[in-house]
Every structure is written in C-alpha cells, then in structure tokens.
C-alpha cells in the first residue's frame, strides 16, 4: 500500500463514476435478459476489474458471486496472458477452473485503450439450464460433477469480434432451453459492451497513467479503511460452529467450523474442522467460500468502505483440501450456495464475538430453491421454473429482522406470483408468512415465508434444495432460535412430510408446500418492548401463546396487562 498525492475531488468523481458504470451494467442485465431467474429473481452480478484483475467496483448484485471473481480472473490472465485482443470475450463455468457451479457462466470482456489492456468488464449470470441429468442443472442429489451438465473451460466466446460458432453449437445441443440460454448470454455481452464503452470514456477524459493512479489509490483507500476497522477490534481467536442438516443421502449433520483470528490490522479465517467433502452436491469451491467470507466481514465494516479488492488484502482465508469447503474433483457442487450461506452464518457467529453491534443473528439459512420442470402446451414445449424463495433476517442489535427479503449475502428478489403463473403451468396456492416462526428476542427474527405450488401439467420433475429443518437458525445474546423449515407433499387428501433435499416426479394436481425457517432472535426476549409485542399480535406475526411463552406477557382480556407482565418478567429473570 503506497501513499500518494491525489486530488480529492477527482478521486471522488472517479470513484462515483465507477460505481455508476457498474450500476448501469446491472440495470442492463435486468432489462435485456430473457429468463425469469435473471430478469425477475435477479440472480446475476456485475463488476469492473483493472488490467491486473483487481475489482475496482461492484454493483449491488449477488454478493456471493463477486468475491469469487479474483480467482476466476487469475485463471483468465494466466491462460490468455499473451492472447487477448480488442473484441475478445471470454467465458467459463467450470468450478474447478475458476467457476462456482455450472449454471453460473462468467463472462469477461477485456477492455483496451490505445491498444493496451486496461481492465475487464465482468458479468456472471445464473442460466436456466446447462444440461445434465436434471432440468435446471442445480440438483442437490448429483454425486459427481459429470452429472451436473456442460462444463465450459475458459475459452473465447468472441475472438476479435467474431463469434465462436463451435461453442454456440455445443451449448445449443446440450441445454434444454437453448434460446433462453443464448439470449441470456447475449444480455451478458450487451452489458459487457456498456462497461467497455464507459470505462474507455474515463480513460479518454483522464488519461491512461493518471486514471491508473486513481485506480491504485481507490484500492489503497479500501485497504486503509479495512485495516483501521480491524485494528479497532480486540486481538484474539474467535470460533463458531454451525451445521448443515445433511447432504441428501445421509442424515449425518455436516459441521462448518470457523475460527477468526484478529492480529493488529490483519485478520485470518480458518475453516479447519469443517466436514470432509460429501457425496451430495453441496460441496463448495474455495473461491466461493472466500466470497462468502469476504462479504460477511464487509458487512461488519462501515458503510463508507468501498466494495473493491483493497478490502481483501488484509484478510487471509483457508480451508482444508478435500473438505466440503475445498473439494477435489469430481465432487459435485451444483447446490453449493447452501453451503455458502452456512459459511456466512458461521462467520457472522464468530464476528458477533468481535463486533456484536455490527452483525445479526442467523437468518433463514439462505434462499430455498424450488425447481419444477416438464412440458406444457400438449407436451410440446419444455419449461424449467427455478424459484428461489428469499425469506428472513435474524434480529439485530437495535432492530427486528426483516422478512420477505433477500439473504444478506444476496441481492435477489422473490419471483412475483403473476410472473410465475403467467409463464408456467403452476398455480401458487399460498404465499405468506409463517406465524411464530421468528426467533424471540429483545429484537425478534424475521418470519419465514410459505409457498405452495400446485402442478397443472401431466408430469413434473420437482427438485427442492432447502436446509435448517434440523438445525434451527441461531439466536444471539439470549435470543431464541428461529423455527425450522419443513417440506410437504399434498396429493388428494394425503399430506406427506418430505426431506429437506430431494428430487421426485409429480403428476397433475400435486401440491408442494415449503415452510421456510425464521430468523434467530437478538437479545433477551424478556426485554422486548410491549408496544412491539402488541404490534406483532395485531399484524398476526405472533400468537398469544408465543407472547406468553417467550415474553412472559400476561393478558387482561384482549389487552396486555403491563403491571402483571412486569411482575412475571421479574420473577423469571
């Protein structure tokens, strides 16, 4: 890190210009993508890197993607160091060569100014299908990566402006919805072109050497703020243990162990003690684990810290080779996001011992994926619904957890019912909050969501990837755990409980019901303000039984009796 003389006004203009570029790119993806998982659920990310592959700015998109970009760019730079030209576009999705899981295709467009490489526009998008044994290519019950779909090694999608027809033909022959996949690749390309155009304008305005200097200063600025924040934390090692319910094949709980060591201005995060890699497809590449860890630590920093690679410089991350957090080929990884969410929960749990006012109790455990696929219109047209249910935050230092909202590690959206029903032969029979599902606390956890899907087509392959059915989201500082998740199948009058992860075939009229876990509570439930309890009762978020059990409330008819409640709380304290 080097101190240099900069003009603060120009520095602010360049910083804000980069932020504006990536935000414009993010809107471009949303407006041009063809599949609902990108356009409506918002499962995509954009960022801008310099010529060395260092993140300069990232849009407010899926944070879990973005910390994995540096490893992917390193692969690109190493492979194409002497073989990039203006008009080139490079793609990859191989988890063992820079990617995360097969549906996430990385696209990089090298950006040139005066015939010199100046940076990369990067767009990552979750595609609706990449082939493989099940529609959507995202099943938790695959047992090796070869079952999961088409693996794309780092290669040129365009070479000096000419499209790679061979790659296009391979994609078209291997995916179930080629027009959607190729259309979404087109959206990624259009977005990269926007990033290229706007970054070149910055170089034209400020000049190559001058602008590169401001890029260096921006990264150093992010590092300085991060170092200052870490230096204010107490030195020591802080551990936390959480669990994934199972891998879908065994009921054995899967431990995720985290130890954060604070030493001066540096921070190390070690995941030794976590489970070995598992049979099911919830293994996570180390790049994805790094991303989950970076974003968790970033959440504990002040809001004015820029989201760039400078933040990463003073954070070291390690996970045992061959573990669920650093698997060896050919371990399946399609459902690796579930493990990434648990990494976030685990790091938050350790950070709560370091900076308790900065982190929240555990949320819903990450979004639940409901994938339903079959044929519509007289069995002539295939469809693939990949619905991601975004649920609840845990309670915070001075606020309740939010519900019906994206996990903190994402910036995604629940698909509107109108969009879902208009596009797919599915009826949403229920969509709402699960009463009493938020963990009690001085500040309660957010409520989990409930969705019910009724099948209208003759036959459907249903895949569900969920968790927190056996290990509830934890509370902090006396807060209670949130309610566990649950899955059910209704066929006629019969209601059957289902596991947290499964793939099965359904017929017309079958109903899948998912009840998502609620967020954990924060602080002693006996300290919760009575006005907040009354509001929750009025809104139907909690029941009288919940208020009596967790908050020691005494009712006088329909109203809370404050004096008797105070006496009961004192007796229980």
């Amino acid at each position: 890190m080097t101190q240099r003389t900069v003009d603060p006004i120009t520095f602010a203009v360049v910083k804000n210009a980069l932020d504006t570029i990536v935000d414009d790119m993010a809107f471009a993806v949303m407006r041009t993508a063809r599949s609902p998982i990108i356009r409506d659920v918002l499962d995509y990310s954009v960022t801008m890197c310099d010529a060395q592959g260092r993140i300069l700015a990232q849009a407010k998109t899926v944070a879990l993607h973005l910390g994995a970009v540096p490893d992917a760019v390193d692969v690109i730079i190493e492979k194409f160091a002497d073989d990039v030209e203006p008009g080139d576009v490079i793609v990859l999705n191989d988890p063992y060569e820079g990617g995360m899981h097969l549906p996430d295709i990385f696209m990089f467009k090298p950006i040139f100014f005066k015939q010199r490489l100046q940076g990369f526009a990067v767009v990552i998008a979750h595609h609706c299908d990449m082939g493989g044994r099940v529609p959507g290519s995202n099943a938790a019950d695959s047992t090796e990566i070869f079952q999961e779909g088409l693996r794309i090694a780092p290669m040129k999608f365009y070479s000096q402006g000419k499209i790679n027809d061979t790659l296009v033909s391979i994609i078209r022959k291997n995916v179930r919805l080629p027009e959607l996949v190729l259309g979404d690749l087109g959206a990624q390309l259009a977005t990269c072109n926007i990033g290229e155009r706007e970054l070149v304008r910055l170089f034209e305005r400020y000049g190559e050497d001058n602008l590169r200097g401001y890029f260096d200063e921006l990264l150093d600025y992010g590092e300085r703020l991060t170092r200052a924040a870490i230096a204010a934390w107490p030195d020591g090692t802080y551990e936390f243990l959480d669990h994934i319910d199972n891998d879908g094949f065994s009921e054995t709980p899967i431990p995720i162990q985290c130890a954060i060591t604070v030493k001066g201005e540096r921070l190390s995060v070690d995941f030794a003690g976590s489970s070995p890699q598992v049979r099911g497809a919830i293994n996570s590449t180390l790049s994805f684990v790094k991303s989950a860890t970076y974003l968790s630590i970033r959440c504990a920093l002040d809001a004015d810290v820029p989201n760039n690679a400078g933040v990463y410089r003073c954070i070291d991350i390690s996970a045992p080779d061959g573990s669920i957090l650093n698997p060896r080929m050919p371990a399946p990884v399609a459902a690796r996001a579930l493990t990434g969410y648990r990494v976030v929960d685990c790091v938050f749990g350790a950070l709560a011992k370091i900076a308790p006012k900065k982190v929240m109790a555990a949320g819903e455990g990450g979004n639940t994926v409901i994938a339903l696929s079959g044929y519509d219109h007289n069995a002539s047209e295939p469809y693939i619904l990949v619905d991601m249910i975004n649920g609840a935050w845990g309670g915070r230092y001075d606020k309740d957890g939010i519900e019906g909202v994206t996990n903190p590690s994402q910036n995604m959206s629940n698909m509107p019912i109108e969009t879902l029903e208009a596009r797919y032969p599915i009826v949403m029979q229920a969509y709402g909050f699960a009463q009493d599902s938020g963990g009690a606390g001085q500040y309660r956890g957010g409520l989990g969501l409930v969705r019910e899907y009724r099948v209208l087509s003759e036959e459907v392959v249903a895949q569900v990837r969920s968790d927190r059915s056996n290990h509830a989201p934890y509370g902090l500082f006396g807060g209670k755990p949130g309610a566990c998740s649950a899955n059910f199948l209704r066929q006629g009058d019969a209601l059957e409980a289902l596991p947290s992860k499964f793939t099965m075939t359904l017929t017309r009229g079958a109903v899948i019901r998912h009840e998502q876990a609620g967020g954990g509570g924060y602080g002693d439930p006996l300290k919760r303000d009575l006005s907040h309890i009354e509001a929750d009762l009025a809104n139907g978020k909690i029941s009288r039984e919940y208020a009596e059990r967790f908050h020691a409330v005494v009712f006088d008819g329909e109203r809370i009796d404050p004096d008797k409640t105070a006496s009961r709380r004192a007796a229980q304290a």
Side-chain angles (χ1 to χ4, degrees), residues 47-86:
T47 187
M48 187 68 70
C49 299
D50 69 1
Q52 300 174 55
R54 302 176 300 180
I55 291 177
L56 298 172
Q58 57 191 44
K60 298 174 182 65
T61 47
V62 178
L64 266 174
H65 288 168
L66 294 165
V69 168
D71 285 9
V73 178
D74 286 347
V75 171
I76 295 298
I77 291 175
E78 180 180 357
K79 184 167 184 175
F80 297 96
D82 301 316
D83 185 26
V84 285
E85 303 286 344

Side-chain angles (χ1 to χ4, degrees), residues 529-567:
D529 191 283
L530 296 186
S531 66
H532 295 165
I533 298 172
E534 289 172 340
D536 284 345
L537 286 164
N539 289 322
K541 292 187 174 182
I542 65 172
S543 64
R544 285 176 59 123
E545 292 75 17
Y546 180 103
E548 291 170 340
R549 177 184 177 190
F550 292 111
H551 301 299
V553 166
V554 178
F555 286 91
D556 182 5
E558 296 299 317
R559 305 288 298 178
I560 294 175
D561 186 315
D563 294 331
K564 291 181 179 179
T565 297
S567 297

